[in-house]
Amino acid sequence: MPLRLQVAALDDPLARVFRYEFDADRARILLGRRGGVDVLLPHPKVSLVHARIERRGSEYLIADDGSTNGTRLNGAAVPGGQRRTLRDGDRILIGGFLLQVGLSDNKVEWRPEASGSMARHMAREVLERLGPGESQPQLIVVDGAQTGVVLTLGELGRTFVLGRAGRGDLRLDDVDMWRERAALVRDEEGVTVRELGPTPALTVNGERVNGARLLHDGDILVFGGTTLRFADPAELYLRKLEDAATPDEPEPAKKPTKAPQKATPARESRPELALIAFGAVIALLAAGAIVYVLVW
């Protein structure tokens, strides 16, 4: 049977619940805060790869992957190096998230959603709790007649129009005669930009946009005489979170570097030592000869 996980933030009971579903043939599911895991949990108390769920026959087992803050199953700590069997209704605590396990055969209609978009939603909820209004993507005019103007892309599912006329969401007075130049659509996957009609070139990071293009934090858009920068706090938060060390996680100990050993110089051939040794031998022989003569 498939494994279902419902993920909710512990510090906000009103936060959205995110749902994952994995087919029965999935052998391993990684949980953590770095990119590439199967369940991305964007929270500072979550390790890069925090825990893993493995399938053994008809069972699913959870193991802590050497995390800093540990993994709890139904309130009990999961010891490192050990596995615990998961059952329907079990509750897993990882960092600031509570994951509820679903293993029943009941058909549950869950809205499919990509892991990346769920991570962005989670990150925005975390940012909203840290500072309301600071989590929404924005388009900022960095060069042009409206330098400093900011368009906040706050509504999911809405199309934002850029152009010269006042009908647009962001009026650009220094564009040419075209009334509408481009549109940005915000959906579950992020913000996509596309041209409206046969307009002059719209570029993103110096590349011409043909059709639609998904924007990423820091992208530079240029059209007409206007340059804009796209900012996505949630994407930036996820990137910084992945790069940051887990709080209270000690930095990996650096191996002491051995000081380069000085090469032992080869013994130099010293002629004065050879002469001294030779003289000592001659002296011993002479002394022996004198003793022999006296005895004789």
Side-chain angles (χ1 to χ4, degrees), residues 54-87:
E54 299 174 352
R55 182 176 175 84
R56 299 283 180 85
S58 60
E59 292 185 328
Y60 288 96
L61 302 97
I62 187 169
D64 185 85
D65 212 53
S67 69
T68 300
N69 294 295
T71 303
R72 304 186 75 84
L73 177 63
N74 298 324
V78 178
Q82 299 184 23
R83 293 169 174 77
R84 294 289 183 265
T85 302
L86 294 177
R87 294 178 175 79

Side-chain angles (χ1 to χ4, degrees), residues 84-294:
R84 294 289 183 265
T85 302
L86 294 177
R87 294 178 175 79
D88 187 53
D90 277 353
R91 296 158 67 88
I92 303 169
L93 179 63
I94 293 179
F97 295 97
L98 178 66
L99 296 78
Q100 185 162 348
V101 178
L103 290 172
S104 64
D105 292 324
N106 298 333
K107 295 293 182 181
V108 181
E109 292 298 329
W110 282 8
R111 180 166 168 259
E113 190 172 1
S115 177
S117 62
M118 281 193 275
R120 281 191 293 273
H121 281 301
M122 289 181 183
R124 288 191 182 103
E125 289 190 349
V126 171
L127 290 172
E128 283 292 338
R129 292 193 290 275
L130 295 176
E134 300 296 328
S135 66
Q136 304 302 333
Q138 296 178 327
L139 201 60
I140 305 161
V141 180
V142 295
D143 187 21
Q146 283 76 36
T147 299
V149 173
V150 176
L151 172 63
T152 299
L153 311 172
E155 297 178 35
L156 197 66
R158 178 179 168 184
T159 299
F160 299 83
V161 177
L162 311 181
R164 180 178 181 182
R167 338 171 359 196
D169 296 285
L170 179 58
R171 178 177 175 177
L172 303 175
D173 292 333
D174 55 356
V175 300
D176 57 20
M177 63 185 218
W178 298 97
R179 293 175 62 84
E180 293 179 347
R181 291 294 306 273
L184 296 103
V185 180
R186 184 182 172 191
D187 56 20
E188 301 286 355
E189 297 301 318
V191 176
T192 302
V193 64
R194 61 182 175 86
E195 294 179 331
L196 292 175
T199 65
L202 162 65
T203 64
V204 176
N205 300 331
E207 298 179 358
R208 174 67 188 269
V209 174
N210 294 314
R213 174 165 174 160
L214 183 66
L215 296 177
H216 297 283
D217 179 72
D219 280 352
I220 300 296
L221 293 76
V222 177
F223 47 95
T226 304
T227 302
L228 307 101
R229 178 173 60 86
F230 176 71
D232 188 348
E235 183 178 341
L236 179 63
Y237 174 80
L238 290 172
R239 190 163 62 240
K240 288 183 175 180
L241 191 64
E242 183 175 338
D243 294 338
T246 306
D248 73 6
E249 182 176 4
E251 292 289 336
K254 293 183 178 180
K255 294 183 179 179
T257 55
K258 292 184 178 179
Q261 295 182 349
K262 293 183 179 179
T264 304
R267 268 185 199 177
E268 298 179 359
S269 174
R270 300 183 62 181
E272 62 269 25
L273 293 178
L275 290 174
I276 292 172
F278 180 75
V281 171
I282 295 299
L284 288 173
L285 289 174
I290 292 171
V291 172
Y292 177 77
V293 170
L294 291 175

